[in-house]
């Protein structure tokens, strides 16, 4: 470069270098895969002079030919440096060999450091060839000899004819402008070969992908050789940037304007037609003849100045929009302002994504250790702890017991629905054991967590339950006359006035004939509740191990079934004990309850002017014992289910799960502990994503954002 107006001579240069460097660093580490970064994107129709424009701005020659030369994206990174001029070519792989987008771009150096600008074109061509042969080692092409093959002839020998991967050209030096730009393949509308037609849509989609991003500054290269309305880039840019606030038009090949049409192009240059907020620039680059003659960059810029001082262009007043140097200044300013505006939002977006990634990572099981036995121990411990926390109501986890208590409530209701209703007197007035407790519509248990925490006196159990006014039609009714008949048929060698004790025993046994069925039903219902908890806990802990989860579930469910069967045996024993000869040591309660019911009978007979009989003694005693024995049965059944089923299962479930570590010759621990591939891949992805986002965030922090 010469002392022609360079970026180095502008105020922009004082801060441009650092901002360009941070953007280049963020792209190198893959930040643009996570957030939209400010960038300048050059695009246009094939043969619109885009390659010549890029060369003029960068100061180096790039691969070019009459055909579709650019077969991949090229990224030009320019930054000012006090060191001597140098160039490093890099390969940036964003897609795998099957054109599937990678989770993170892979950027590697290609070849050694270049110190002669004339060597850049060949190395860039070699780098492009390496990308077009993705299954080959890129090192193979460092010193590739193209021989006498031109670009188009050599293209036929590549594995693929086009790739979305990127050749990065990083140039540093004292007279290098601070700028970073992306050169997209030229848009094509037809191909000579039928098999190449697919590239028409492929290149257009690639252009759309780049220019639709909100932080992309679109540099639309428009050839003056063709009508502006016929150039695809114009409509593509309008669709991507509807308001036209981030598109800058560059008119190329002004020497090809047809006679008599200069005014139309000058009107566009004045932004009076096809308006864009960033307006238009005009550049004049060397013709193919001048390029073949080896024109220098300095001479090319002088020829450009001379061209725009002639003819219709001489009268064009907006001289700041004429020439490559002025365009380069504008692009530098646009990019630096975009970076200044955009980096704070980039940091905020990275922070959000980093937080979201870490939250998602917390939901994924941790990485396994190399010892499968330790892993199973650890998971068994974790699973049993989850189950125990629910069954013991740790940290106020009461959902399980809310469900269990509902089953206990239903169990109590079923038992109370088996109570007898005694009728006395001429009118057969009904006396209900629960009359004084029948108040509301639904049963409502008042335990805080589980029945074990209820400290109420056993004989007051009914006061903790609110009952509906049950329909007595379905209950067993025993009349005073029926009791008298039982006494009569049971009398043997007893003296008159004495009542056989067998009458009371018979009545008591008849009232609790069906108490076993509700107890077993209650156990079965609670078994299903606990089974659901167990399977959910196992799924939560072992779901990533398809070979292990089935066996763990079988072991846990078998142990739960064993606990249930043992509890059912206990219930059967308790029922047999309950249904045998009546017995209680609670003499005070039975005397008190008997007296209460006997007084109720006497009050009824008194209203009917009837005298009480000894039969009422038997009836009152039966009612008192029913109430005491029922409360006793309710508690002992509930406690048996809690301790023999729920607590017993919880106590040994960890030990049972660990039994899977005992060798059985059927399946090795390594096979059991083999993790589901989808979970492993997802965790690896999140771990790498967290690492990448943290690297991006740290880079922004170090830069002072």
């Amino acid at each position: 470069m010469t002392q022609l107006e360079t970026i180095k001579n502008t105020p922009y240069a004082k801060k441009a270098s650092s901002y360009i460097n941070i953007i280049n660093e963020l792209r190198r580490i893959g930040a643009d895969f996570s957030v939209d970064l400010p960038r300048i994107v050059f695009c246009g129709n094939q043969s619109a002079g885009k390659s010549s424009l890029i060369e003029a701005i960068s100061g180096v020659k790039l691969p070019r030919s009459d055909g579709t030369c650019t077969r991949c994206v090229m990224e030009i990174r320019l930054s000012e440096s006090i060191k001597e001029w140098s160039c490093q070519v890099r390969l940036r792989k964003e897609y795998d060999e099957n054109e599937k987008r990678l989770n993170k771009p892979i950027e590697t150096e290609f070849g050694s450091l270049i110190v002669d600008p004339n060597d850049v074109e060949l190395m860039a061509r070699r780098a492009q060839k390496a990308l077009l042969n993705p299954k080959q080692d890129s090192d193979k092409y460092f010193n590739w000899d193209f021989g006498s093959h031109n670009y188009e002839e050599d293209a036929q020998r590549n594995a693929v004819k086009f790739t979305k991967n990127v050749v990065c050209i990083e140039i540093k030096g004292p007279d290098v402008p601070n700028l970073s730009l992306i050169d997209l393949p030229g848009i094509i509308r037809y191909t000579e070969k039928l098999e190449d037609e697919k590239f028409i849509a492929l290149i257009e989609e690639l252009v759309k992908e780049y220019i639709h991003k909100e932080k992309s500054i679109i540099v639309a290269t428009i050839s003056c050789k063709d009508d502006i309305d016929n150039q695809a880039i114009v409509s593509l840019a309008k669709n991507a940037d509807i308001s036209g606030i981030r598109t800058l038009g560059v008119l190329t090949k002004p020497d090809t304007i047809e006679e008599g049409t200069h005014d139309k192009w000058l009107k566009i240059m004045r932004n009076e037609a096809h308006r864009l907020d960033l307006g238009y620039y005009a550049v004049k680059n060397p013709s193919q003849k001048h390029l073949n003659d080896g024109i220098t960059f300095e001479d090319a810029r002088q020829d450009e100045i001379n061209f725009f001082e002639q003819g219709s262009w001489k009268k064009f007043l907006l001289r700041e929009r004429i020439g490559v140097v002025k365009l380069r200044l504008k692009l530098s300013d646009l990019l630096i302002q975009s970076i200044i505006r955009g980096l704070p939002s980039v940091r905020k977006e990275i922070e959000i994504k980093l937080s979201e990634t870490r939250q998602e990572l917390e939901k994924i099981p941790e990485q396994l250790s190399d010892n499968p036995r330790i892993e199973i121990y650890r998971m068994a411990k974790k699973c049993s702890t989850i189950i125990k926390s629910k069954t013991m109501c740790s940290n106020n986890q009461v959902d399980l017991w809310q469900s269990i208590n509902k089953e206990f409530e239903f169990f109590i209701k079923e038992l109370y629905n088996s109570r007898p209703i005694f009728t006395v007197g001429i009118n057969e007035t009904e006396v209900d054991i629960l009359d004084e407790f029948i108040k509301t519509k639904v049963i409502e248990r008042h335990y805080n967590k589980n029945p074990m925490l209820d400290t109420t006196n056993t004989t007051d159990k009914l006061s903790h339950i609110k009952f509906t006014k049950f329909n007595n039609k379905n209950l067993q009714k025993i009349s005073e006359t029926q009791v008298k008949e039982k006494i009569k048929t049971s009398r043997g060698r007893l003296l008159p006035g004495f009542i056989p004790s067998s009458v009371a025993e018979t009545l008591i046994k008849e009232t609790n004939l069906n108490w076993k069925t509700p107890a077993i039903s209650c156990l079965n219902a609670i078994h299903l509740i606990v089974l659901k908890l167990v399977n959910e806990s196992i799924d939560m802990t072992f779901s990533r191990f398809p070979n292990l989860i089935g066996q763990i579930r079988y072991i846990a469910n078998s142990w739960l079934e064993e606990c249930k069967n043992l509890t059912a045996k206990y219930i059967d024993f308790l029922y047999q004990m309950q249904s045998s000869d009546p017995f209680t040591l609670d003499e005070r309660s039975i005397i008190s309850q008997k007296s209460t019911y006997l007084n109720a009978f006497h009050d009824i007979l008194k209203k009917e002017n009837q005298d009480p009989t000894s039969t009422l003694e038997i009836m009152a005693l039966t009612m008192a014992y029913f109430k005491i024995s029922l409360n006793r049965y309710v508690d002992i059944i509930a406690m048996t289910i809690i301790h023999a089923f729920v607590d017993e299962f919880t106590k040994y479930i960890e030990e049972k799960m660990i039994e899977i570590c005992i060798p059985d010759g059927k399946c090795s621990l390594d096979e059991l502990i083999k993790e589901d591939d989808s979970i492993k891949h997802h965790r690896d992805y999140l771990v790498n994503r967290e690492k990448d986002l943290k690297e991006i965030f740290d880079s922004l922090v170090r830069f002072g954002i």
Side-chain angles (χ1 to χ4, degrees):
M1 304 290 287
T2 68
Q3 293 302 314
L4 289 171
E5 234 174 328
T6 64
I7 289 293
K8 187 177 179 181
N9 298 323
T10 69
Y12 166 82
K14 297 178 181 179
K15 53 185 176 181
S17 181
S18 59
Y19 279 104
I20 294 300
N21 287 338
I22 184 62
I23 283 296
N24 288 341
E25 180 183 348
L26 291 175
R27 279 187 58 77
R28 270 195 298 270
I29 61 180
D32 53 327
F33 267 44
S34 301
V35 292
D36 187 12
L37 294 178
R39 58 187 175 180
I40 293 177
V41 179
F42 278 73
C43 47
N45 286 23
Q46 180 186 345
S47 301
K50 179 171 57 61
S51 296
S52 296
L53 180 58
I54 297 291
E55 287 182 351
I57 290 174
S58 64
V60 295
K61 293 183 178 180
L62 299 172
R64 57 160 63 233
S65 75
D66 293 334
T68 306
C69 179
T70 307
R71 299 181 179 275
C72 66
V73 179
M74 299 193 94
E75 181 175 345
I76 317 297
R77 301 168 181 170
L78 308 170
S79 61
E80 184 181 10
S81 171
I82 60 174
K83 297 181 180 180
E84 293 185 0
W85 187 97
S86 65
C87 173
Q88 178 64 63
V89 177
R90 299 172 182 271
L91 301 183
R92 178 182 171 89
K93 295 184 179 180
E94 299 184 354
Y95 297 82
D96 64 16
E97 57 189 43
N98 298 314
E99 289 299 313
K100 181 180 178 182
R101 188 174 172 87
L102 302 174
N103 293 328
K104 178 186 177 181
I106 302 171
E107 191 167 311
T108 57
E109 291 185 355
F110 181 81
S112 57
L113 193 68
I114 301 171
V115 294
D116 184 350
N118 294 321
D119 295 337
V120 174
E121 180 183 5
L122 179 58
M123 188 58 77
R125 185 181 175 189
R126 288 170 174 168
Q128 182 174 267
K129 186 172 183 65
L131 292 181
L132 294 172
N133 294 277
K135 294 184 179 181
Q136 300 293 325
D137 188 342
S138 60
D139 294 357
K140 175 181 178 180
Y141 300 99
F142 285 173
N143 300 300
W144 187 264
D145 184 3
F146 290 95
S148 60
H149 297 288
N150 62 29
Y151 288 104
E152 294 307 313
E153 290 171 344
D154 183 70
Q156 304 304 316
R157 303 164 64 190
N158 295 323
V160 296
K161 293 186 178 182
F162 182 83
T163 178
K164 292 183 179 181
N165 290 320
V166 185
V167 171
C168 301
I169 301 175
E170 194 169 280
I171 301 173
K172 299 179 181 180
D175 294 321
V176 176
N178 288 302
L179 192 57
S180 182
L181 52 91
I182 293 173
D183 178 22
L184 298 179
I187 301 168
I188 54 178
R189 282 291 174 253
Y190 67 90
T191 59
E192 292 184 9
K193 297 179 180 179
L194 185 63
E195 63 267 24
D196 290 342
E197 285 187 354
K198 61 182 179 181
F199 297 119
I200 296 175
L202 194 153
I203 292 174
E204 184 170 317
E205 287 303 313
L206 180 67
V207 172
K208 289 179 181 178
E209 179 184 332
Y210 273 84
I211 67 177
H212 270 270
K213 294 184 178 180
E214 290 298 321
K215 290 187 173 68
S216 292
I217 298 170
I218 305 170
V219 178
T221 55
I222 302 167
S223 172
C224 294
K225 192 175 182 179
D226 192 11
D227 191 282
I228 189 171
D229 292 321
N230 294 335
Q231 300 188 49
I233 187 56
V234 176
S235 59
L236 290 178
K238 283 183 179 179
N239 290 333
D241 178 26
I242 297 175
S243 56
I245 60 174
R246 55 186 180 86
T247 302
L248 184 147
V250 179
L251 304 186
T252 63
K253 303 184 179 182
D255 53 322
T256 63
I257 295 177
E258 293 184 9
E259 191 71 30
T261 63
H262 279 80
D263 287 345
K264 179 183 70 174
W265 291 103
L266 290 176
K267 189 176 181 180
I268 293 172
M269 280 294 296
R270 290 192 295 269
N271 214 16
E272 295 173 359
H274 298 279
R275 288 182 54 81
L276 295 173
D277 280 13
L278 300 180
Y280 292 85
Y281 281 73
V283 299
K284 165 66 172 66
N285 286 311
S287 65
Q288 188 61 48
K289 180 180 182 304
H290 286 148
L291 291 172
N292 293 338
D293 292 341
I295 188 172
T296 65
F297 286 105
E298 290 80 4
D299 290 342
R301 299 284 64 80
Q302 188 59 55
D303 285 353
E304 181 181 49
I305 293 173
N306 296 337
F307 175 82
F308 284 113
E309 288 179 350
Q310 302 173 18
S312 299
W313 292 102
K314 185 177 182 179
K315 300 177 183 179
F316 185 69
L317 299 179
L318 302 175
R319 307 308 293 178
E320 70 276 8
R321 290 185 172 269
I322 295 292
V324 169
V325 173
K326 299 293 178 62
L327 171 63
R328 193 167 56 210
L329 288 170
K330 179 63 175 179
L331 293 178
S332 298
D333 183 62
L334 286 175
L335 182 57
I336 195 63
Q337 293 304 321
S338 178
I339 294 172
I340 292 173
R341 290 192 307 269
L343 284 185
S345 64
V346 168
R347 169 173 170 157
K348 184 175 182 180
E349 192 173 349
I350 289 296
E351 284 185 289
I352 293 172
K353 290 181 181 293
L354 186 57
S355 175
E356 291 174 346
T357 301
R358 286 171 173 168
Q359 290 176 14
E360 190 173 354
L361 196 54
E362 288 178 358
K363 301 174 184 177
I364 302 293
E366 296 178 1
Q367 180 72 41
L368 298 176
S369 69
D370 295 331
N371 190 323
R373 184 170 278 100
I374 291 177
E375 285 298 329
I376 293 178
Y377 288 162
R378 183 177 63 80
M379 288 185 288
K381 178 72 174 178
K382 179 180 178 181
C383 187
S384 62
T385 299
I386 293 173
I387 294 171
K388 187 174 182 180
S389 67
K390 302 285 187 181
T391 59
M392 299 304 293
C393 298
S394 301
N395 300 319
N396 202 34
Q397 298 185 68
V398 299
D399 290 347
L400 175 71
W401 281 102
Q402 292 291 324
S403 299
I404 290 177
N405 285 339
K406 287 180 181 178
E407 297 304 326
F408 283 143
E409 291 167 5
F410 186 75
F411 168 56
I412 295 169
K413 178 179 178 181
E414 288 295 297
L415 290 184
Y416 280 118
N417 280 340
S418 70
R419 71 191 188 280
I421 299 294
F422 287 92
T423 61
V424 297
I426 298 173
N427 298 324
E428 293 191 348
T429 303
E430 296 181 358
V431 178
D432 195 332
I433 297 173
L434 305 181
D435 265 349
E436 67 269 39
F437 305 108
I438 297 175
K439 296 176 182 178
T440 61
K441 186 176 181 181
V442 293
I443 296 179
E444 196 174 312
R445 201 68 151 154
H446 289 269
Y447 295 140
N448 290 326
K449 293 181 181 178
N450 64 64
M452 290 300 297
L453 301 180
D454 187 3
T455 56
T456 310
N457 187 285
T458 302
T459 56
D460 293 330
K461 186 68 65 180
L462 292 178
S463 65
H464 283 268
I465 307 191
K466 298 177 183 179
F467 290 90
T468 243
K469 194 157 187 175
F470 297 111
N471 185 351
N472 292 349
K473 292 180 181 179
N474 296 325
L475 300 179
Q476 178 187 6
K477 294 184 180 180
I478 304 174
S479 66
E480 183 180 1
T481 302
Q482 290 174 315
V483 176
K484 286 180 179 179
E485 184 62 28
K486 285 182 179 293
I487 293 173
K488 181 178 179 181
T489 58
S490 299
R491 183 179 295 279
R493 296 177 59 183
L494 293 176
L495 295 174
F498 288 90
I499 300 174
S501 61
S502 61
V503 176
E505 292 178 4
T506 300
L507 285 173
I508 289 171
K509 289 180 179 181
E510 287 176 352
T511 58
N512 61 16
L513 286 177
N514 299 317
W515 282 9
K516 180 179 178 180
T517 300
I520 294 298
S521 296
C522 181
L523 171 63
N524 289 335
I526 292 174
H527 168 260
L528 293 177
I529 293 171
V530 178
L531 179 64
K532 182 174 181 291
L533 164 67
V534 170
N535 287 337
E536 287 176 350
S537 302
I538 290 173
D539 290 343
M540 188 186 308
T541 310
F542 297 94
S543 60
R544 56 176 169 158
F545 305 107
N547 296 334
L548 178 62
I549 190 171
Q551 294 196 39
I552 288 291
R553 188 182 288 118
Y554 174 78
I555 289 172
N557 292 353
S558 296
W559 171 233
L560 190 66
E561 185 72 20
E562 187 177 335
C563 291
K564 186 190 80 167
N565 293 338
L566 182 62
T567 305
K569 291 181 179 179
Y570 292 153
I571 289 174
D572 181 68
F573 172 76
L574 293 172
Y575 173 72
Q576 296 300 330
M577 184 173 60
Q578 174 66 33
S579 58
S580 62
D581 294 338
F583 177 81
T584 182
L585 293 177
D586 192 1
E587 184 177 353
R588 179 185 299 177
S589 293
I590 200 164
I591 291 174
S592 174
Q593 290 294 328
K594 176 184 174 182
S595 176
T596 299
Y597 293 131
L598 193 58
N599 290 336
F601 292 151
H602 288 173
D603 289 341
I604 292 170
L605 294 179
K606 185 176 181 181
K607 291 177 182 179
E608 296 181 356
N609 295 319
Q610 299 290 320
D611 293 327
T613 65
S614 58
T615 304
L616 300 181
E617 293 277 346
I618 294 293
M619 296 170 67
L621 176 63
T622 301
M623 292 178 71
Y625 185 79
F626 181 92
K627 183 176 179 180
I628 291 172
S629 63
L630 186 142
N631 278 320
R632 178 178 64 198
Y633 187 73
V634 164
D635 273 344
I636 198 64
I637 292 297
M639 291 174 69
T640 299
I641 292 175
I642 291 169
H643 292 290
F645 178 61
V646 179
D647 290 351
E648 183 73 5
F649 171 81
T650 304
K651 183 177 180 181
Y652 293 104
I653 182 57
E654 180 181 347
E655 180 181 314
K656 295 291 183 179
M657 288 181 177
I658 291 175
E659 287 179 1
I660 201 170
C661 292
I662 300 174
D664 60 1
K666 296 180 180 178
C667 190
S668 70
L669 292 183
D670 288 332
E671 291 175 341
L672 289 176
I673 210 71
K674 185 178 180 181
E675 190 174 26
D676 187 290
D677 288 340
S678 62
I679 295 176
K680 181 181 183 300
H681 292 158
H682 188 49
R683 182 180 55 247
D684 291 344
Y685 164 75
L686 291 175
V687 169
N688 290 328
R689 179 171 172 77
E690 181 191 28
K691 179 182 176 182
D692 295 340
L693 291 171
K694 182 66 166 57
E695 185 179 3
I696 296 167
F697 180 77
D698 290 344
S699 295
L700 290 167
V701 171
R702 284 195 300 270
F703 186 70
I705 300 300

